Amino acid sequence: MASLQFDDKNVPYLDLGDGYRIALEGDEYTDAKAKEKAARELRETPDVVEKSMEELRALLQDEKTLYVPMDNDPFMIKFLRPCKYYAQSAFELIKRYYRFRSKHPDLCDELYPVSVKHVYEEGLVHFLPLRDQHGSRILVLECGKKWKPAKVSLTDLFRAVQIALEAGMYEPRTQLNGAIVILDMEGLSLSQIMQFTPKFAAMALDWIQQCTAMRLKSVHIVNNSYLFNMLFAIFKPFLTEKLRKRLFFHQKDWNSLMSHIDAKCLRPKYGGTLECLETDGKLLGEMFELYHKEFELANSFGYLRKQD
């Protein structure tokens, strides 16, 4: 069985056996290869970083109703990296991010792992233990037969996905290399499709396309049947051209999936060679809960709300 352990620095991780583990990697990258990639793809050099931080702080100081930790370098870099250190772009992203949170309190208020522990227990949202060949974090969403809307509402599912992506945004290597999503739709039913509305689709795509501080590299949809086409039709009108180019539909063609993701990073059920224990959803939720203080701090930022 998978187990929740702590390393010698007291960092929690899921032990999946045979040396495989899932942990949040909060340390900055220091290796030459990552630094070279950051400089090449993100313009991340000491001079650019310093100048961008100064410019972003100046912009944020003028946004009087927005409370964020301007003196916290990791916070600032989390938004600067996906914007390639263009301060104005990072400023606009921060504003969109926190305006979304203000506009959708049902989805974003008190966004703590404990509030959606039942979603993780159902095994709907999890990470794979290995990053892909480009260093991207791999997030798997199983929204077909595993998802029982009577147990897990669409709102709670969305909140759990937000928490997982927030966890990824915490990792410098994911800030650099981005994330890819595998959307497993095996067993999708008509009753599940009925949970979705155009309003929800517009909101969800606004969030993923405009409001997340994440380099979303690609989305891979697997085990999709003709029923999925009905669901996709709800979302299609709200897709930007940028995301359309990063969507890939594989059905059960694992060779197609492995043309994008190395076999060693994928479990056998997706055609890969990754042989280790399955991620325990309950334990993943418990691992996230150990970062409650970090989520609590993150939830304290945002636009000031008018007092009644």
Side-chain angles (χ1 to χ4, degrees), residues 138-195:
I138 304 175
L139 175 66
V140 180
L141 306 179
E142 297 193 53
C143 299
K145 62 186 179 184
K146 276 192 175 183
W147 177 34
K148 298 173 180 63
K151 283 188 175 182
V152 174
S153 70
L154 185 57
T155 294
D156 282 350
L157 179 57
F158 186 80
R159 284 170 65 87
V161 172
Q162 281 188 84
I163 285 170
L165 280 187
E166 285 285 340
M169 286 161 55
Y170 164 81
E171 302 178 298
R173 286 196 181 275
T174 305
Q175 294 166 12
L176 170 61
N177 299 310
I180 62 177
V181 176
I182 296 176
L183 192 56
D184 188 343
M185 305 307 297
E186 184 177 12
L188 179 71
S189 68
L190 194 56
S191 64
Q192 290 169 327
I193 294 172
M194 296 297 287
Q195 305 296 314

Short mmCIF file of all heavy atoms in Angstrom, two decimals, residues 138-195:
data_model
loop_
_atom_site.label_atom_id
_atom_site.label_comp_id
_atom_site.label_asym_id
_atom_site.label_seq_id
_atom_site.Cartn_x
_atom_site.Cartn_y
_atom_site.Cartn_z
N ILE A 138 2.67 16.21 -14.28
CA ILE A 138 1.55 15.53 -14.94
C ILE A 138 0.39 15.39 -13.95
O ILE A 138 0.51 14.72 -12.92
CB ILE A 138 1.95 14.14 -15.47
CG1 ILE A 138 3.16 14.25 -16.42
CG2 ILE A 138 0.77 13.49 -16.19
CD1 ILE A 138 3.69 12.91 -16.90
N LEU A 139 -0.72 16.04 -14.28
CA LEU A 139 -1.94 15.99 -13.47
C LEU A 139 -2.96 15.13 -14.19
O LEU A 139 -3.22 15.34 -15.38
CB LEU A 139 -2.49 17.40 -13.26
CG LEU A 139 -3.83 17.53 -12.54
CD1 LEU A 139 -3.72 17.10 -11.09
CD2 LEU A 139 -4.34 18.98 -12.63
N VAL A 140 -3.54 14.17 -13.49
CA VAL A 140 -4.56 13.28 -14.07
C VAL A 140 -5.91 13.58 -13.43
O VAL A 140 -6.03 13.63 -12.20
CB VAL A 140 -4.20 11.79 -13.87
CG1 VAL A 140 -5.27 10.89 -14.48
CG2 VAL A 140 -2.83 11.48 -14.48
N LEU A 141 -6.92 13.79 -14.27
CA LEU A 141 -8.30 13.96 -13.80
C LEU A 141 -9.12 12.81 -14.35
O LEU A 141 -9.22 12.63 -15.56
CB LEU A 141 -8.88 15.30 -14.30
CG LEU A 141 -8.07 16.56 -13.99
CD1 LEU A 141 -8.77 17.78 -14.57
CD2 LEU A 141 -7.87 16.72 -12.49
N GLU A 142 -9.69 12.01 -13.46
CA GLU A 142 -10.53 10.89 -13.87
C GLU A 142 -11.99 11.28 -13.65
O GLU A 142 -12.52 11.14 -12.54
CB GLU A 142 -10.16 9.63 -13.10
CG GLU A 142 -8.72 9.18 -13.39
CD GLU A 142 -8.43 7.78 -12.89
OE1 GLU A 142 -9.20 6.86 -13.24
OE2 GLU A 142 -7.45 7.61 -12.15
N CYS A 143 -12.61 11.79 -14.71
CA CYS A 143 -13.96 12.37 -14.59
C CYS A 143 -15.02 11.52 -15.26
O CYS A 143 -16.11 12.02 -15.58
CB CYS A 143 -13.96 13.78 -15.18
SG CYS A 143 -12.84 14.89 -14.33
N GLY A 144 -14.72 10.24 -15.47
CA GLY A 144 -15.70 9.34 -16.04
C GLY A 144 -16.38 8.52 -14.96
O GLY A 144 -17.03 9.06 -14.08
N LYS A 145 -16.20 7.20 -15.02
CA LYS A 145 -16.95 6.30 -14.14
C LYS A 145 -16.64 6.51 -12.65
O LYS A 145 -17.45 6.18 -11.79
CB LYS A 145 -16.68 4.85 -14.52
CG LYS A 145 -15.23 4.41 -14.39
CD LYS A 145 -15.04 3.00 -14.94
CE LYS A 145 -13.58 2.56 -14.85
NZ LYS A 145 -13.37 1.24 -15.46
N LYS A 146 -15.46 7.07 -12.33
CA LYS A 146 -15.12 7.29 -10.92
C LYS A 146 -15.93 8.42 -10.31
O LYS A 146 -16.11 8.47 -9.09
CB LYS A 146 -13.63 7.61 -10.78
CG LYS A 146 -12.71 6.40 -10.73
CD LYS A 146 -11.32 6.83 -10.30
CE LYS A 146 -10.40 5.63 -10.13
NZ LYS A 146 -9.06 6.05 -9.64
N TRP A 147 -16.37 9.36 -11.15
CA TRP A 147 -17.05 10.54 -10.62
C TRP A 147 -18.54 10.27 -10.42
O TRP A 147 -19.26 10.00 -11.37
CB TRP A 147 -16.84 11.73 -11.57
CG TRP A 147 -17.56 12.97 -11.13
CD1 TRP A 147 -17.80 13.39 -9.85
CD2 TRP A 147 -18.18 13.95 -11.98
NE1 TRP A 147 -18.51 14.57 -9.85
CE2 TRP A 147 -18.76 14.93 -11.13
CE3 TRP A 147 -18.30 14.09 -13.36
CZ2 TRP A 147 -19.43 16.03 -11.64
CZ3 TRP A 147 -18.97 15.19 -13.87
CH2 TRP A 147 -19.53 16.14 -13.01
N LYS A 148 -18.97 10.36 -9.17
CA LYS A 148 -20.38 10.20 -8.83
C LYS A 148 -20.89 11.55 -8.32
O LYS A 148 -20.62 11.93 -7.17
CB LYS A 148 -20.54 9.10 -7.77
CG LYS A 148 -20.05 7.74 -8.27
CD LYS A 148 -20.06 6.71 -7.15
CE LYS A 148 -19.58 5.36 -7.66
NZ LYS A 148 -18.17 5.41 -8.14
N PRO A 149 -21.60 12.30 -9.18
CA PRO A 149 -22.04 13.65 -8.80
C PRO A 149 -22.83 13.71 -7.49
O PRO A 149 -22.83 14.74 -6.82
CB PRO A 149 -22.90 14.08 -9.99
CG PRO A 149 -22.34 13.31 -11.15
CD PRO A 149 -21.96 11.98 -10.58
N ALA A 150 -23.49 12.61 -7.11
CA ALA A 150 -24.22 12.60 -5.84
C ALA A 150 -23.26 12.69 -4.65
O ALA A 150 -23.62 13.19 -3.58
CB ALA A 150 -25.07 11.35 -5.72
N LYS A 151 -22.03 12.22 -4.85
CA LYS A 151 -21.01 12.27 -3.79
C LYS A 151 -20.12 13.50 -3.92
O LYS A 151 -19.70 14.08 -2.91
CB LYS A 151 -20.11 11.02 -3.86
CG LYS A 151 -20.72 9.76 -3.29
CD LYS A 151 -19.65 8.67 -3.24
CE LYS A 151 -20.18 7.41 -2.56
NZ LYS A 151 -19.11 6.37 -2.49
N VAL A 152 -19.81 13.86 -5.15
CA VAL A 152 -18.90 14.98 -5.41
C VAL A 152 -19.58 15.95 -6.38
O VAL A 152 -19.78 15.62 -7.55
CB VAL A 152 -17.57 14.49 -6.02
CG1 VAL A 152 -16.69 15.67 -6.43
CG2 VAL A 152 -16.84 13.58 -5.04
N SER A 153 -19.91 17.12 -5.89
CA SER A 153 -20.54 18.12 -6.76
C SER A 153 -19.53 18.67 -7.76
O SER A 153 -18.31 18.59 -7.54
CB SER A 153 -21.11 19.26 -5.92
OG SER A 153 -20.05 20.03 -5.36
N LEU A 154 -20.03 19.22 -8.84
CA LEU A 154 -19.15 19.84 -9.84
C LEU A 154 -18.36 20.98 -9.20
O LEU A 154 -17.17 21.17 -9.51
CB LEU A 154 -19.98 20.35 -11.02
CG LEU A 154 -19.19 20.91 -12.21
CD1 LEU A 154 -18.21 19.91 -12.77
CD2 LEU A 154 -20.16 21.39 -13.31
N THR A 155 -18.98 21.72 -8.30
CA THR A 155 -18.29 22.82 -7.61
C THR A 155 -17.11 22.30 -6.81
O THR A 155 -16.00 22.86 -6.88
CB THR A 155 -19.26 23.57 -6.67
OG1 THR A 155 -20.26 24.22 -7.46
CG2 THR A 155 -18.53 24.61 -5.82
N ASP A 156 -17.32 21.21 -6.06
CA ASP A 156 -16.23 20.67 -5.26
C ASP A 156 -15.14 20.06 -6.13
O ASP A 156 -13.94 20.15 -5.79
CB ASP A 156 -16.76 19.62 -4.28
CG ASP A 156 -17.42 20.26 -3.07
OD1 ASP A 156 -17.30 21.49 -2.90
OD2 ASP A 156 -18.08 19.53 -2.30
N LEU A 157 -15.50 19.46 -7.25
CA LEU A 157 -14.51 18.93 -8.18
C LEU A 157 -13.64 20.07 -8.71
O LEU A 157 -12.40 19.96 -8.76
CB LEU A 157 -15.21 18.20 -9.34
CG LEU A 157 -14.30 17.61 -10.42
CD1 LEU A 157 -13.28 16.65 -9.85
CD2 LEU A 157 -15.14 16.91 -11.50
N PHE A 158 -14.26 21.17 -9.06
CA PHE A 158 -13.52 22.32 -9.57
C PHE A 158 -12.61 22.89 -8.48
O PHE A 158 -11.46 23.27 -8.75
CB PHE A 158 -14.49 23.40 -10.07
CG PHE A 158 -13.81 24.56 -10.75
CD1 PHE A 158 -13.39 24.47 -12.07
CD2 PHE A 158 -13.59 25.74 -10.07
CE1 PHE A 158 -12.76 25.54 -12.69
CE2 PHE A 158 -12.95 26.81 -10.67
CZ PHE A 158 -12.55 26.71 -11.99
N ARG A 159 -13.09 22.94 -7.26
CA ARG A 159 -12.27 23.44 -6.15
C ARG A 159 -11.05 22.54 -5.93
O ARG A 159 -9.94 23.03 -5.69
CB ARG A 159 -13.10 23.52 -4.87
CG ARG A 159 -14.07 24.70 -4.84
CD ARG A 159 -15.05 24.62 -3.68
NE ARG A 159 -14.40 24.71 -2.38
CZ ARG A 159 -14.13 25.86 -1.75
NH1 ARG A 159 -14.46 27.00 -2.30
NH2 ARG A 159 -13.55 25.84 -0.57
N ALA A 160 -11.23 21.23 -6.04
CA ALA A 160 -10.12 20.30 -5.86
C ALA A 160 -9.08 20.45 -6.96
O ALA A 160 -7.88 20.33 -6.71
CB ALA A 160 -10.64 18.86 -5.81
N VAL A 161 -9.54 20.70 -8.19
CA VAL A 161 -8.61 20.93 -9.30
C VAL A 161 -7.82 22.22 -9.05
O VAL A 161 -6.61 22.28 -9.29
CB VAL A 161 -9.36 20.99 -10.65
CG1 VAL A 161 -8.42 21.42 -11.77
CG2 VAL A 161 -9.98 19.62 -10.97
N GLN A 162 -8.51 23.25 -8.57
CA GLN A 162 -7.81 24.50 -8.25
C GLN A 162 -6.70 24.27 -7.23
O GLN A 162 -5.58 24.78 -7.39
CB GLN A 162 -8.79 25.52 -7.66
CG GLN A 162 -9.67 26.23 -8.65
CD GLN A 162 -10.46 27.34 -7.97
OE1 GLN A 162 -9.96 28.44 -7.78
NE2 GLN A 162 -11.67 27.04 -7.55
N ILE A 163 -7.00 23.50 -6.19
CA ILE A 163 -6.00 23.23 -5.15
C ILE A 163 -4.81 22.48 -5.72
O ILE A 163 -3.65 22.79 -5.41
CB ILE A 163 -6.65 22.46 -3.98
CG1 ILE A 163 -7.53 23.42 -3.17
CG2 ILE A 163 -5.60 21.81 -3.08
CD1 ILE A 163 -8.41 22.75 -2.14
N ALA A 164 -5.07 21.50 -6.58
CA ALA A 164 -3.97 20.75 -7.20
C ALA A 164 -3.09 21.66 -8.05
O ALA A 164 -1.85 21.56 -8.02
CB ALA A 164 -4.53 19.60 -8.04
N LEU A 165 -3.71 22.56 -8.82
CA LEU A 165 -2.92 23.48 -9.63
C LEU A 165 -2.20 24.51 -8.77
O LEU A 165 -1.08 24.91 -9.08
CB LEU A 165 -3.79 24.16 -10.68
CG LEU A 165 -4.10 23.34 -11.93
CD1 LEU A 165 -4.84 24.18 -12.97
CD2 LEU A 165 -2.84 22.76 -12.58
N GLU A 166 -2.84 24.94 -7.68
CA GLU A 166 -2.16 25.84 -6.74
C GLU A 166 -0.91 25.16 -6.19
O GLU A 166 0.14 25.78 -6.03
CB GLU A 166 -3.09 26.21 -5.59
CG GLU A 166 -4.18 27.20 -5.94
CD GLU A 166 -3.67 28.63 -6.08
OE1 GLU A 166 -2.59 28.93 -5.56
OE2 GLU A 166 -4.36 29.42 -6.74
N ALA A 167 -1.03 23.86 -5.88
CA ALA A 167 0.12 23.11 -5.39
C ALA A 167 1.24 23.10 -6.43
O ALA A 167 2.42 23.28 -6.10
CB ALA A 167 -0.29 21.69 -5.02
N GLY A 168 0.86 22.91 -7.69
CA GLY A 168 1.86 22.93 -8.76
C GLY A 168 2.50 24.30 -8.92
O GLY A 168 3.71 24.42 -9.17
N MET A 169 1.70 25.36 -8.76
CA MET A 169 2.22 26.72 -8.89
C MET A 169 3.24 27.03 -7.79
O MET A 169 4.06 27.93 -7.94
CB MET A 169 1.06 27.72 -8.81
CG MET A 169 0.21 27.77 -10.07
SD MET A 169 -1.44 28.50 -9.80
CE MET A 169 -1.03 30.09 -9.08
N TYR A 170 3.19 26.28 -6.72
CA TYR A 170 4.13 26.46 -5.60
C TYR A 170 5.53 25.96 -5.97
O TYR A 170 6.52 26.35 -5.35
CB TYR A 170 3.55 25.70 -4.40
CG TYR A 170 4.50 25.40 -3.26
CD1 TYR A 170 4.79 26.37 -2.29
CD2 TYR A 170 5.06 24.13 -3.10
CE1 TYR A 170 5.63 26.08 -1.23
CE2 TYR A 170 5.90 23.83 -2.04
CZ TYR A 170 6.19 24.82 -1.11
OH TYR A 170 7.02 24.53 -0.05
N GLU A 171 5.63 25.10 -6.98
CA GLU A 171 6.90 24.44 -7.32
C GLU A 171 7.67 25.22 -8.39
O GLU A 171 7.20 25.37 -9.51
CB GLU A 171 6.63 23.03 -7.86
CG GLU A 171 5.86 22.12 -6.91
CD GLU A 171 5.60 20.77 -7.54
OE1 GLU A 171 4.91 20.72 -8.57
OE2 GLU A 171 6.10 19.77 -7.01
N PRO A 172 8.88 25.69 -8.08
CA PRO A 172 9.69 26.39 -9.08
C PRO A 172 9.90 25.60 -10.38
O PRO A 172 9.84 26.16 -11.47
CB PRO A 172 11.01 26.65 -8.36
CG PRO A 172 10.60 26.81 -6.93
CD PRO A 172 9.51 25.77 -6.75
N ARG A 173 10.11 24.29 -10.26
CA ARG A 173 10.33 23.50 -11.49
C ARG A 173 9.07 23.43 -12.35
O ARG A 173 9.15 23.35 -13.57
CB ARG A 173 10.81 22.09 -11.15
CG ARG A 173 12.25 22.05 -10.71
CD ARG A 173 12.88 20.67 -10.72
NE ARG A 173 14.24 20.74 -10.26
CZ ARG A 173 15.30 21.03 -11.02
NH1 ARG A 173 15.12 21.27 -12.30
NH2 ARG A 173 16.51 21.10 -10.51
N THR A 174 7.90 23.46 -11.71
CA THR A 174 6.66 23.47 -12.48
C THR A 174 6.42 24.87 -13.06
O THR A 174 5.91 25.00 -14.17
CB THR A 174 5.48 23.03 -11.61
OG1 THR A 174 5.77 21.74 -11.05
CG2 THR A 174 4.19 22.93 -12.42
N GLN A 175 6.81 25.90 -12.33
CA GLN A 175 6.74 27.26 -12.87
C GLN A 175 7.56 27.36 -14.15
O GLN A 175 7.17 28.03 -15.11
CB GLN A 175 7.24 28.27 -11.84
CG GLN A 175 6.38 28.38 -10.60
CD GLN A 175 7.07 29.13 -9.47
OE1 GLN A 175 8.10 29.76 -9.68
NE2 GLN A 175 6.51 29.06 -8.27
N LEU A 176 8.71 26.69 -14.17
CA LEU A 176 9.58 26.71 -15.35
C LEU A 176 9.07 25.80 -16.45
O LEU A 176 8.95 26.22 -17.61
CB LEU A 176 11.00 26.28 -14.94
CG LEU A 176 11.99 26.00 -16.08
CD1 LEU A 176 12.22 27.25 -16.93
CD2 LEU A 176 13.32 25.48 -15.53
N ASN A 177 8.75 24.57 -16.10
CA ASN A 177 8.45 23.54 -17.12
C ASN A 177 6.97 23.36 -17.40
O ASN A 177 6.60 22.66 -18.35
CB ASN A 177 9.06 22.20 -16.69
CG ASN A 177 10.57 22.26 -16.54
OD1 ASN A 177 11.25 22.73 -17.44
ND2 ASN A 177 11.09 21.82 -15.41
N GLY A 178 6.12 23.95 -16.58
CA GLY A 178 4.69 23.88 -16.81
C GLY A 178 4.08 22.56 -16.38
O GLY A 178 4.71 21.71 -15.75
N ALA A 179 2.82 22.40 -16.75
CA ALA A 179 2.07 21.20 -16.40
C ALA A 179 1.33 20.69 -17.63
O ALA A 179 0.99 21.46 -18.53
CB ALA A 179 1.07 21.49 -15.28
N ILE A 180 1.11 19.39 -17.66
CA ILE A 180 0.24 18.79 -18.67
C ILE A 180 -0.87 18.05 -17.93
O ILE A 180 -0.68 17.59 -16.81
CB ILE A 180 0.99 17.85 -19.63
CG1 ILE A 180 1.61 16.68 -18.89
CG2 ILE A 180 2.04 18.60 -20.42
CD1 ILE A 180 2.31 15.70 -19.80
N VAL A 181 -2.03 17.98 -18.56
CA VAL A 181 -3.20 17.36 -17.95
C VAL A 181 -3.64 16.17 -18.79
O VAL A 181 -3.73 16.28 -20.03
CB VAL A 181 -4.36 18.36 -17.82
CG1 VAL A 181 -5.61 17.67 -17.27
CG2 VAL A 181 -3.97 19.53 -16.93
N ILE A 182 -3.86 15.05 -18.13
CA ILE A 182 -4.49 13.90 -18.78
C ILE A 182 -5.92 13.83 -18.27
O ILE A 182 -6.15 13.70 -17.06
CB ILE A 182 -3.75 12.58 -18.48
CG1 ILE A 182 -2.33 12.63 -19.06
CG2 ILE A 182 -4.52 11.39 -19.05
CD1 ILE A 182 -1.48 11.40 -18.72
N LEU A 183 -6.87 13.97 -19.16
CA LEU A 183 -8.29 13.96 -18.80
C LEU A 183 -8.85 12.61 -19.23
O LEU A 183 -9.04 12.34 -20.42
CB LEU A 183 -8.99 15.11 -19.53
CG LEU A 183 -10.41 15.49 -19.12
CD1 LEU A 183 -10.48 15.81 -17.64
CD2 LEU A 183 -10.88 16.68 -19.94
N ASP A 184 -9.07 11.74 -18.25
CA ASP A 184 -9.54 10.38 -18.52
C ASP A 184 -11.06 10.35 -18.43
O ASP A 184 -11.64 10.51 -17.36
CB ASP A 184 -8.92 9.41 -17.51
CG ASP A 184 -9.20 7.95 -17.83
OD1 ASP A 184 -10.12 7.68 -18.64
OD2 ASP A 184 -8.51 7.07 -17.28
N MET A 185 -11.72 10.13 -19.56
CA MET A 185 -13.19 10.20 -19.63
C MET A 185 -13.84 8.82 -19.74
O MET A 185 -14.99 8.70 -20.16
CB MET A 185 -13.61 11.06 -20.83
CG MET A 185 -13.00 12.46 -20.85
SD MET A 185 -13.24 13.40 -19.33
CE MET A 185 -15.03 13.54 -19.29
N GLU A 186 -13.11 7.78 -19.33
CA GLU A 186 -13.67 6.42 -19.43
C GLU A 186 -14.95 6.31 -18.62
O GLU A 186 -15.00 6.65 -17.43
CB GLU A 186 -12.65 5.40 -18.93
CG GLU A 186 -13.14 3.96 -19.10
CD GLU A 186 -12.11 2.94 -18.68
OE1 GLU A 186 -11.11 3.31 -18.05
OE2 GLU A 186 -12.33 1.75 -18.98
N GLY A 187 -16.01 5.82 -19.25
CA GLY A 187 -17.28 5.61 -18.56
C GLY A 187 -18.12 6.86 -18.38
O GLY A 187 -19.07 6.86 -17.59
N LEU A 188 -17.79 7.92 -19.12
CA LEU A 188 -18.59 9.15 -19.03
C LEU A 188 -20.05 8.83 -19.35
O LEU A 188 -20.36 8.13 -20.31
CB LEU A 188 -18.05 10.19 -20.03
CG LEU A 188 -18.78 11.52 -20.08
CD1 LEU A 188 -18.51 12.34 -18.83
CD2 LEU A 188 -18.37 12.31 -21.33
N SER A 189 -20.95 9.39 -18.54
CA SER A 189 -22.37 9.12 -18.72
C SER A 189 -23.14 10.39 -19.03
O SER A 189 -22.67 11.50 -18.78
CB SER A 189 -22.96 8.47 -17.46
OG SER A 189 -22.99 9.41 -16.40
N LEU A 190 -24.34 10.21 -19.53
CA LEU A 190 -25.20 11.35 -19.85
C LEU A 190 -25.55 12.14 -18.59
O LEU A 190 -25.62 13.37 -18.62
CB LEU A 190 -26.47 10.87 -20.55
CG LEU A 190 -27.33 11.92 -21.25
CD1 LEU A 190 -26.53 12.70 -22.27
CD2 LEU A 190 -28.54 11.26 -21.91
N SER A 191 -25.75 11.43 -17.47
CA SER A 191 -26.09 12.13 -16.22
C SER A 191 -24.95 13.03 -15.77
O SER A 191 -25.18 14.09 -15.16
CB SER A 191 -26.43 11.12 -15.13
OG SER A 191 -25.30 10.31 -14.82
N GLN A 192 -23.72 12.64 -16.06
CA GLN A 192 -22.57 13.50 -15.72
C GLN A 192 -22.52 14.72 -16.64
O GLN A 192 -22.28 15.84 -16.18
CB GLN A 192 -21.27 12.70 -15.84
CG GLN A 192 -21.12 11.64 -14.76
CD GLN A 192 -19.98 10.69 -15.04
OE1 GLN A 192 -19.68 10.39 -16.20
NE2 GLN A 192 -19.34 10.22 -14.00
N ILE A 193 -22.77 14.52 -17.92
CA ILE A 193 -22.77 15.64 -18.87
C ILE A 193 -23.81 16.68 -18.47
O ILE A 193 -23.59 17.89 -18.61
CB ILE A 193 -23.03 15.13 -20.31
CG1 ILE A 193 -21.86 14.24 -20.76
CG2 ILE A 193 -23.22 16.29 -21.28
CD1 ILE A 193 -22.11 13.53 -22.08
N MET A 194 -24.93 16.21 -17.91
CA MET A 194 -26.01 17.11 -17.53
C MET A 194 -25.60 18.06 -16.39
O MET A 194 -26.30 19.03 -16.12
CB MET A 194 -27.24 16.30 -17.11
CG MET A 194 -27.85 15.47 -18.23
SD MET A 194 -28.47 16.47 -19.60
CE MET A 194 -29.94 17.16 -18.83
N GLN A 195 -24.49 17.78 -15.72
CA GLN A 195 -24.02 18.66 -14.66
C GLN A 195 -23.45 19.98 -15.22
O GLN A 195 -23.36 20.97 -14.50
CB GLN A 195 -22.91 17.97 -13.83
CG GLN A 195 -23.29 16.62 -13.24
CD GLN A 195 -24.41 16.73 -12.24
OE1 GLN A 195 -24.41 17.58 -11.36
NE2 GLN A 195 -25.41 15.84 -12.38
#
